[in-house]
Amino acid sequence: MLTSRTARNVRFLVFLVTSLSVFGTLFLTSAQTGENRLEKYDWPNEPVRVISLYVGTQRIKLGKPFLSTDDWADHLRVTVQNTSGKAIKYLRLQLRFRRTDDASARYLLFLDWPEELQPDQQGRPVYSDKFLRRGEQATLSTHIRVAYGKETLARRGRAAQFNHARLDIIAAAFEDGTHWVGGDLFREDSLNPGEMQSDSSLR
């Protein structure tokens, strides 16, 4: 059984990260064209794989430099394929940008499928009726503009480096009630609604 603190963290990652999205994007200067780069962190058991990446009409490759304005994340489209063997009812990816005012901090932008989750009155996630079946593909994009993030950070005396980002697959919820969060697998605790527990049988 997960500790109450860990369980809260897992619920936050999977369901209630929407509040973080409010703070998403940075720098007060106008968009400028320059060299950009997108890397990716790979978990060994990711539920989806990246099929293609586009910034506008320009196809880009992970780890390879590309020319675009520094608000390129606004125009990023990430197409993924379900390789998990299960139907996915919710998927979240994130872009991590290095903060220039704090080397240990990151600025995050989220990409959700089929849409950003909204909790009900009890704080439980409300899923759509869409499913991403095995082998099917979906395209995700950010829902917070970079300009908003720049302004938000600037008001706090902070900034971020937007020409270099890391793409992470961070959470997936499956039709059978199991969840994948940052490389770990969980199932909903039938005795404690809203709680999740690690289950070695899912590995």
Side-chain angles (χ1 to χ4, degrees), residues 48-180:
V48 298
R49 69 184 180 96
V50 175
I51 298 297
S52 67
L53 299 159
Y54 279 88
V55 173
T57 59
Q58 177 185 187
R59 185 162 188 169
I60 66 171
K61 294 183 178 181
L62 290 170
K64 301 293 184 180
F66 62 93
L67 292 177
S68 184
T69 54
D70 62 2
D71 62 353
W72 61 270
D74 292 348
H75 313 287
L76 177 67
R77 302 193 313 279
V78 181
T79 298
V80 299
Q81 182 180 43
N82 181 357
T83 56
S84 69
K86 300 180 180 182
I88 295 173
K89 60 183 179 181
Y90 173 68
L91 179 67
R92 169 159 277 198
L93 282 59
Q94 72 179 13
L95 293 173
R96 293 166 54 92
F97 299 92
R98 182 177 290 108
R99 287 255 303 277
T100 56
D101 62 293
D102 184 347
S104 65
R106 297 293 182 268
Y107 178 78
L108 305 179
L109 283 178
F110 298 104
L111 304 84
D112 297 284
W113 183 92
E115 58 195 18
E116 186 178 14
L117 283 182
Q118 299 295 334
D120 63 15
Q121 292 182 347
Q122 285 72 46
R124 296 172 299 191
V126 178
Y127 295 103
S128 77
D129 56 0
K130 296 180 181 179
F131 293 98
L132 187 65
R133 306 290 179 182
R134 180 178 183 179
E136 291 183 343
Q137 298 181 13
T139 298
L140 296 83
S141 58
T142 60
H143 43 80
I144 296 294
R145 294 291 182 180
V146 168
Y148 176 83
K150 289 180 179 181
E151 294 171 4
T152 301
L153 288 173
R155 285 198 298 268
R156 294 170 169 79
R158 301 169 182 171
Q161 183 180 1
F162 280 99
N163 64 338
H164 188 186
R166 192 182 87 181
L167 176 67
D168 297 338
I169 299 168
I170 60 170
F174 301 103
E175 184 180 22
D176 65 0
T178 58
H179 303 264
W180 180 94

